[in-house]
Amino acid sequence: MVAAGELFGESGFHQVPAQAVVRQAGVTSGALYHHFRDKRDLFRAAFEAAEVRLADRVAAAAGAGDGPWERLQLGVAEYLAVCAEAPARRLLLVDGPSVLGWEEWRRIDAAHHLRPLRAVLAGAMRVGIIERRSPEPLARLLLGALTEAGLGDPEDRDALRHSALWLLDQLKRKT
């Protein structure tokens, strides 16, 4: 599955024949199809593994922050940094929705990112950094904005990161 994720990330789902995955992984076609129904099923497994790695990186970066606001900023910055890496961007944001379909892609993405984002927003609300409201819709909107920023042109990476952090700053209560 690691080999599949690397190949899909480098070349894209439609450019990678299953035989290339078999060669890269050093397995037989029979072994591949014993574990996966088809190439799409293999992609889904590689996609899920990449989502776990992304969520782990974001959590590790956020965990270094002091308090919910800094955790939120560090997590957002790491999310955008990962999305700026061409293989992750292609696998997670370009081919993911295309290959899996919007609903499945959105469900998987939310399963890995929505709950932690909602939790850190709720923490910021508890300590008065953000106005109290339901954190769920805010987390969904923020995740959508981050996805769009992640899809942006890599040449605009710095501007997108600064804009995302500016957007976060707009959530802060002005005292």
Side-chain angles (χ1 to χ4, degrees), residues 49-135:
E51 282 282 17
V52 167
R53 285 192 303 277
L54 172 58
D56 288 348
R57 281 184 60 177
V58 168
D66 292 327
W69 189 252
E70 190 176 356
R71 286 193 290 277
L72 182 60
Q73 290 177 310
L74 291 171
V76 163
E78 185 64 17
Y79 180 91
L80 293 174
V82 172
C83 290
E85 298 167 6
R89 182 178 180 273
R90 176 178 284 128
L91 181 67
L92 295 170
L93 301 178
V94 176
D95 282 355
S98 170
V99 173
L100 300 174
W102 170 252
E103 289 299 321
E104 185 175 8
W105 171 80
R106 186 171 177 253
R107 184 179 46 72
I108 294 169
D109 189 58
H112 293 284
H113 305 296
L114 195 58
R115 187 176 50 155
L117 186 53
R118 184 177 54 232
V120 76
L121 287 168
M125 289 174 194
R126 270 192 305 280
V127 298
I129 296 170
I130 299 175
E131 177 184 319
R132 281 191 177 262
R133 58 183 50 242
S134 174

Side-chain angles (χ1 to χ4, degrees), residues 1 4 7-8 13 16-23 25-45:
M1 186 169 39
L7 289 170
F8 291 143
F13 175 80
V16 176
Q19 224 22 62
V21 176
V22 166
R23 277 192 306 278
V27 299
T28 65
S29 292
L32 180 75
Y33 290 112
H34 175 74
H35 294 285
F36 304 101
R37 286 186 315 273
D38 53 22
K39 186 174 140 183
R40 183 188 180 281
D41 193 37
L42 174 62
F43 177 85
R44 186 184 193 288

